[in-house]
Amino acid sequence: MIRAALKNSSWLMSEKVFTMALNLIVTIVLARVLGPNLFGELNYVLALVAIVTPLTALGLNALVIRELVDNPQRETMVMTTVAAYRLLGATLGLLGLITWATVSDLAVDERLSLVIIGCAATLQAFQVVEYFFQAKVNAHYVVKMRALVVLVAGTLKLTCVFVYPSLIVIAIIYAFEYLAWGCGYIFLYRMKGEAKGFKIATIDWSYGGQLLKQSFWLVLSGLAAVLYLKVDQVMLGEIVSKDAVGTYAVAVRLSEVWYFFATAIAASFFSSLLQLKNSDNNAYHRRLQNLCDGLFTAAFVLAIAVALLASTIVPLLFGSEYLVSGTILAIHIWAGVFVFMRELASKWLIAEHLLRFSLLSHGAGALLNVVLNLIFIPKWQGEGAAIATVLSYAMAGFIVFWLTKRTRLMALIMTRSLLLPLTLWARYWGFLKKTLKLS
């Protein structure tokens, strides 16, 4: 099981490395050619679309894996029902975007771009297929499909930004990317699913309602999580300018692109953690600590490296217009320490049936983020937003876990990981000694 999880994780990580590299190239070119203002308008629109994304997921992602692992014989019903509910949630999110585009004072290009991308993003409802393959610890089909879509869409973005650098044209390409992903998910499930595709007749609205009741707190916490992920860009656009969004977005893209690694690792080990929890509780806790240590170490090393190089690398890659982005990145990258550990903690909350706490933690982070942004952005603009982000992530990903008795186990696990730079030799000397002897 561990070998399968590692293989699955390696596929997911390979995709993320490829996607990260290609998206970095695309981001550099878009930022340079469009300039901070137009690049800021694009990221303002993408941030608004991201804010309603949890309405598409409906908090059902990890629950789908659990249901498919526990009840493999009900696969078609589970998949079709969840896809139907996700489509309803996506439609609700689209209505929200259309409402914002109608009542806000956005420019015409921004409004059209928002609606175009929002319409295409509804097909993300079929991302449920990804969790079908994760439940089977067999992600390579999805990885290949998504990598192909990213390659084609990236090529189109690079071509169009030189031929016709228009916000609407680039928005159409982003919409194409969403459409291609949606169609790819449908095709893969038709090829590999038990019933060769989604079957409308198998939709069980009652069962879906029961799942939605379980995920209700995840829906709200997902909205809160995305709010404190993206609200800073929206607030920068409203309080300062779209130029400020552009310079901030460059730093955020370079900081957040690494989060995929934590997501891939946590997702790949989730099924095995669930099985271990049911068979050996002590081994389950040891695995949680080891995974948390690994995630923290990766984030900590990454943060140090990026913080030291940011002020040199960012202007070199993006140009002198984005000089301030280096300072913002050197601050923002430290949020990853808490984000990496939080990915594991989120899976643990699902395994322990503590979904309501997920809302408490993300809600506290979102509230703190909004309040700090209101204080810091007028004073320090992008740097202030970055400081607010780090502090709010620390709140949502660590501090809040100390507030309730049932979550203090995970708080202790994360504390041990945070202390790892001081305790590495004491805790892992035996393992390191054995490894060195073998080598």
Side-chain angles (χ1 to χ4, degrees):
M1 179 57 69
I2 294 177
R3 183 175 296 177
L6 288 172
K7 184 178 180 180
N8 195 60
S9 182
S10 68
W11 273 104
L12 291 169
M13 283 194 176
S14 298
E15 179 209 1
K16 299 312 176 187
V17 170
F18 171 76
T19 302
M20 180 180 66
L22 184 58
N23 283 341
L24 176 60
I25 295 171
V26 172
T27 298
I28 291 171
V29 175
L30 287 178
R32 276 186 168 273
V33 176
L34 297 179
N37 186 263
L38 195 53
F39 188 66
E41 290 179 0
L42 173 63
N43 281 277
Y44 180 89
V45 169
L46 293 175
L48 288 171
V49 174
I51 286 173
V52 302
T53 298
L55 293 177
T56 301
L58 289 176
L60 296 172
N61 296 347
L63 294 184
V64 169
I65 297 176
R66 187 191 71 190
E67 291 297 303
L68 292 175
V69 169
D70 293 344
N71 305 289
Q73 72 281 0
R74 304 173 71 187
E75 174 202 308
T76 304
M77 184 274 292
V78 171
M79 292 290 292
T80 307
T81 300
V82 171
Y85 269 88
R86 286 171 61 109
L87 272 174
L88 291 176
T91 303
L92 182 60
L94 175 60
L95 291 176
L97 293 177
I98 293 173
T99 301
W100 182 268
T102 303
V103 303
S104 66
D105 60 350
L106 297 177
V108 174
D109 284 5
E110 290 176 293
R111 292 181 183 181
L112 289 175
S113 299
L114 182 60
V115 174
I116 289 169
I117 298 176
C119 287
T122 58
L123 284 188
Q124 285 298 94
F126 294 105
Q127 192 182 3
V128 63
V129 174
E130 176 182 345
Y131 305 105
F132 162 76
F133 284 107
Q134 284 189 18
K136 293 183 176 296
V137 198
N138 192 13
H140 69 95
Y141 296 106
V142 172
V143 166
K144 293 174 183 176
M145 180 274 291
R146 285 197 307 222
L148 178 61
V149 171
V150 168
L151 178 61
V152 173
T155 303
L156 289 173
K157 290 171 190 173
L158 292 175
T159 302
C160 290
V161 76
F162 286 111
V163 176
Y164 194 77
S166 161
L167 179 61
I168 293 179
V169 172
I170 295 172
I172 290 172
I173 299 173
Y174 273 94
F176 161 78
E177 194 168 9
Y178 279 119
L179 287 170
W181 276 336
C183 293
Y185 287 130
I186 294 171
F187 174 78
L188 284 178
Y189 191 59
R190 184 175 180 81
M191 293 296 100
K192 300 296 179 180
E194 180 184 58
K196 303 301 179 183
F198 296 99
K199 303 296 180 183
I200 296 178
T202 64
I203 295 176
D204 187 333
W205 295 106
S206 176
Y207 169 77
Q210 293 173 11
L211 279 184
L212 200 57
K213 286 181 181 178
Q214 295 178 49
S215 70
F216 175 74
W217 302 105
L218 285 177
V219 177
L220 296 179
S221 65
L223 284 168
V226 173
L227 188 63
Y228 72 79
L229 273 169
K230 297 298 181 181
V231 74
D232 44 9
Q233 295 185 46
V234 176
M235 293 179 71
L236 271 171
E238 296 296 328
I239 297 173
V240 186
S241 67
K242 296 296 166 48
D243 288 71
V245 178
T247 54
Y248 184 77
V250 162
V252 170
R253 290 285 186 92
L254 294 175
S255 178
E256 292 182 353
V257 71
W258 306 98
Y259 297 174
F260 288 119
F261 289 103
T263 303
I265 292 171
S268 293
F269 280 92
F270 184 50
S271 294
S272 60
L273 280 173
L274 287 174
Q275 295 177 13
L276 202 58
K277 180 179 183 294
N278 295 327
S279 60
D280 188 338
N281 203 48
N282 289 329
Y284 168 64
H285 289 154
R286 286 195 300 271
R287 183 71 54 79
L288 283 171
Q289 185 67 66
N290 291 338
L291 284 172
C292 195
D293 288 348
L295 289 168
F296 165 79
T297 301
F300 185 71
V301 172
L302 178 66
I304 292 175
V306 172
L308 292 174
L309 298 173
S311 296
T312 302
I313 298 297
V314 173
L316 183 65
L317 293 176
F318 293 90
S320 58
E321 290 181 300
Y322 295 94
L323 186 62
V324 70
S325 300
T327 305
I328 296 171
L329 175 58
I331 300 169
H332 196 285
I333 192 66
W334 288 99
V337 170
F338 301 102
V339 172
F340 272 50
M341 294 192 297
R342 173 66 205 217
E343 284 292 339
L344 178 64
S346 294
K347 302 300 183 186
W348 177 79
L349 289 173
I350 293 170
E352 299 293 332
H353 303 284
L354 296 172
L355 302 185
R356 293 189 181 187
F357 181 82
S358 186
L359 172 60
L360 171 64
S361 60
H362 285 310
L367 179 61
L368 182 63
N369 189 258
V370 171
V371 172
L372 292 179
N373 275 321
L374 288 172
I375 298 170
F376 293 165
I377 286 178
K379 293 182 179 180
W380 302 308
Q381 299 186 10
E383 294 97 322
I387 295 170
T389 296
V390 174
L391 293 176
S392 63
Y393 282 20
M395 173 65 74
F398 174 60
I399 296 172
V400 176
F401 281 80
W402 285 103
L403 298 183
T404 68
K405 184 177 180 180
R406 297 183 69 184
T407 58
R408 281 179 196 145
L409 171 63
M410 181 52 66
L412 285 169
I413 288 174
M414 289 189 283
T415 300
R416 293 191 191 103
S417 295
L418 287 168
L419 294 174
L420 197 59
L422 303 176
T423 61
L424 176 64
W425 290 103
R427 288 178 51 201
Y428 284 97
W429 170 245
F431 172 77
L432 293 171
K433 188 176 180 180
K434 182 179 179 181
T435 303
L436 290 171
K437 282 184 178 179
L438 289 175
S439 62

